[in-house]
DNA sequence: GACTCGTGGGC
DNA sequence: TGCCCAAGAGT
């Protein structure tokens, strides 16, 4: 890499952004003042999540909880259920915790410095910088996966991720402008999303092409270099559908760990071999469906048997939820899949 | 630094 | 189809 070569990215990038910026529901139009609540909510929803997925969820969310105060007053169970299907559920817990901290300690307003934001739950380096820049116009070095890719290519940084982040961040700092901080940050996102894409980058459309080290080498797609990932192990489990008088037994998962704090169908630990009916929540005439549910997580894949049974007996192992309104229970996708299979009984 | 933590879409 | 990827944070 040639770190000393002067690159002036902000000016051509902002010029490009003025012509090609995406209209997004959480974005202020030119001349408008951004709403910090919407900026924050969008940044959290967009963590590891695509714009297409976030768009409708954002609209539903702000209609229900339009401000920090509204969210701070919400019940945790409602917030978790509203997040169902979006994944990374710690985001929802932290979102509510932050809203309550903002109400209690910050007068109902988001603090406007990167440092103060960084102290709130769910604000890491990226989100604190992005909110400071986008909502408050503060100069901040905003580094997400888009910026990593753009900067690694621009400077032809070949240190593999994640170790290479230090060099990428340092390079990013050298091209981050003082003015139009929010526009610049979002311009980098839009460029990474539409032009400097992970595969088949559209270099002919890029406003920085004439300065791009990776393009000069002829291999833009080779950047950023990444360390190979570990193989994903396979696990097995059984999910239990226990029905009683038109209601199904739901449990609440522990706050910490996978799918933490979410409503769920009963299931035992997921292990290297199928556990069968070992962890059934009650004695019943369980029938294991022939079809299985397959589900992929980031770090392992899962094969699940679905066992169904009817019972007459009330238990206090969880809540009996009306089957007819199960889609309102806020089940994570994995359990929604199992529920659909159990209800169809097309074993 | 290395893990954990979801989900849907693209190729 | 299986793998990679996406506006990362917490431990």
């Amino acid at each position: 890499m040639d770190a000393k070569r002067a690159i002036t990215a902000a000016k051509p990038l902002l010029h490009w952004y003025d012509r090609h910026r995406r209209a997004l529901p959480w974005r202020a139009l030119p001349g408008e003042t951004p709403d910090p609540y919407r900026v924050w909510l969008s940044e959290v929803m967009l963590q590891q999540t695509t714009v297409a997925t976030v768009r409708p969820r954002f609209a539903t969310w702000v209609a229900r909880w339009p401000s920090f105060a509204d969210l701070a007053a919400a019940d945790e169970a409602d917030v978790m259920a509203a997040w169902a299907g979006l994944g990374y559920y710690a985001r929802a817990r932290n979102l509510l915790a932050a809203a309550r901290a903002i109400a209690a300690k910050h007068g109902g307003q988001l603090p406007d410095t990167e440092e103060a934001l960084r102290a709130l739950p769910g604000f890491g380096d990226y989100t604190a910088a992005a909110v400071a820049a986008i909502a408050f116009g503060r100069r901040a070095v905003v580094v997400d996966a888009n910026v990593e890719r753009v900067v690694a290519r621009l400077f032809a940084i070949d240190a593999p991720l994640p170790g290479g982040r230090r060099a990428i961040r340092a390079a990013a700092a050298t091209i981050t402008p003082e003015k139009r901080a929010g526009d610049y940050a979002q311009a980098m996102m839009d460029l990474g999303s539409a032009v400097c894409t992970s595969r088949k980058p559209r270099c002919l459309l890029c406003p920085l092409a004439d300065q791009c080290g990776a393009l000069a080498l002829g291999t833009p797609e080779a950047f950023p270099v990444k360390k190979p990932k570990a193989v994903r192990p396979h696990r097995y489990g059984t999910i239990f559908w226990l029905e009683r008088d038109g209601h199904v037994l739901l449990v609440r998962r522990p706050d910490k760990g996978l799918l933490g704090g979410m409503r769920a169908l009963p299931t035992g630990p997921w292990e290297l071999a199928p556990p069968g009916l070992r962890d059934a929540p009650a004695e019943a005439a369980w029938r294991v469906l022939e079809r299985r549910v397959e589900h992929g997580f980031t770090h392992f894949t899962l094969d699940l048997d679905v066992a169904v049974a009817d019972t007459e007996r009330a238990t206090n192992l969880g809540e009996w939820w009306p089957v007819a309104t199960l889609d309102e229970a806020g089940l994570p996708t994995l359990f929604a899949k199992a529920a659909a299979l159990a209800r169809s009984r097309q074993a």
Side-chain angles (χ1 to χ4, degrees):
Chain A
M1 108 182 225
D2 182 3
K4 299 212 165 44
R5 184 164 48 87
I7 288 183
T8 54
K11 192 168 182 177
L13 186 62
L14 286 165
H15 185 242
W16 174 85
Y17 184 68
D18 288 336
R19 285 174 290 149
H20 298 292
R21 61 189 292 158
R22 285 178 290 180
L24 297 170
W26 44 87
R27 265 189 192 170
L29 293 172
E32 286 183 350
T33 303
D35 177 349
Y37 175 74
R38 295 166 70 92
V39 171
W40 166 55
L41 177 63
S42 70
E43 287 303 336
V44 175
M45 283 191 170
L46 286 162
Q47 288 167 9
Q48 303 289 288
T49 309
T50 59
V51 167
T53 298
V54 167
R55 220 183 243 280
R57 304 298 296 261
F58 178 86
T60 306
W61 193 283
V62 296
R64 184 169 183 183
W65 296 299
S67 71
F68 293 109
D70 295 314
L71 182 55
D75 287 334
E76 178 166 16
D78 291 338
V79 170
M80 299 310 291
W83 200 270
L86 273 175
Y88 287 144
Y89 297 100
R91 291 186 292 175
R93 278 198 304 283
N94 289 331
L95 199 70
L96 180 57
R100 290 179 174 165
I102 289 160
K105 301 179 193 169
H106 297 279
Q109 305 246 354
L110 207 55
D112 65 355
T113 67
E114 189 176 354
E115 183 184 5
L117 290 165
R118 183 68 176 78
L120 289 167
F123 281 81
D125 289 339
Y126 163 76
T127 302
V131 172
I134 297 169
F136 302 115
R138 292 190 179 270
R139 196 257 184 191
V141 181
V142 180
V143 183
D144 73 320
N146 288 301
V147 176
E148 281 179 2
R149 190 168 58 251
V150 171
V151 170
R153 288 174 178 169
L154 204 49
F155 291 84
I157 295 170
D158 57 9
L161 295 178
R165 292 219 166 93
R166 170 181 292 274
I168 290 174
R169 181 177 190 81
T174 69
I175 58 172
T176 302
E178 295 285 341
K179 296 183 178 177
R180 296 190 67 183
D183 283 349
Y184 173 79
Q186 294 174 96
M188 291 289 271
M189 317 279 187
D190 281 10
L191 189 74
S193 166
V195 175
C196 195
T197 48
S198 178
R199 282 166 298 196
K200 300 187 185 304
R202 300 168 176 84
C203 300
L204 289 174
L205 303 177
C206 182
L208 307 179
D210 60 336
Q211 305 186 72
C212 183
L215 181 57
L217 292 172
T219 56
E221 202 167 339
F223 296 87
V225 181
K226 294 187 180 179
K227 194 159 70 169
K229 296 183 177 170
V231 292
R232 292 198 305 176
H234 208 88
R235 295 188 191 172
Y236 299 86
T238 304
I239 286 184
F240 298 93
W241 177 273
L242 186 60
E243 203 169 323
R244 173 176 168 271
D245 190 24
H247 293 63
V248 62
L249 179 64
L250 299 184
V251 296
R252 183 176 187 277
R253 293 178 64 83
D255 278 320
K256 299 204 170 187
L258 197 65
L259 308 170
M262 300 299 289
R263 283 201 187 95
L265 293 165
T267 179
W270 300 330
E271 296 170 345
L272 297 178
L277 298 174
R278 186 193 62 200
D279 303 304
E283 284 196 31
W286 292 106
R287 181 166 70 91
V288 179
L289 304 185
E290 270 182 40
R291 288 186 53 186
R292 290 179 142 180
V293 171
E294 297 176 14
H295 195 74
F297 290 102
T298 306
H299 51 295
F300 66 95
T301 58
L302 189 57
D303 262 16
L304 291 165
D305 279 318
V306 178
V308 301
D310 292 297
T311 184
E312 307 276 307
R313 222 173 334 173
T315 73
N316 56 357
L317 300 170
E319 47 184 340
W320 292 96
W321 193 280
V323 174
T325 62
L326 193 58
D327 54 347
E328 297 168 20
L331 294 180
T333 300
L334 161 64
F335 297 108
K337 281 196 226 172
L341 185 59
R343 293 176 71 176
S344 75
R345 303 294 169 93
Q346 290 170 353

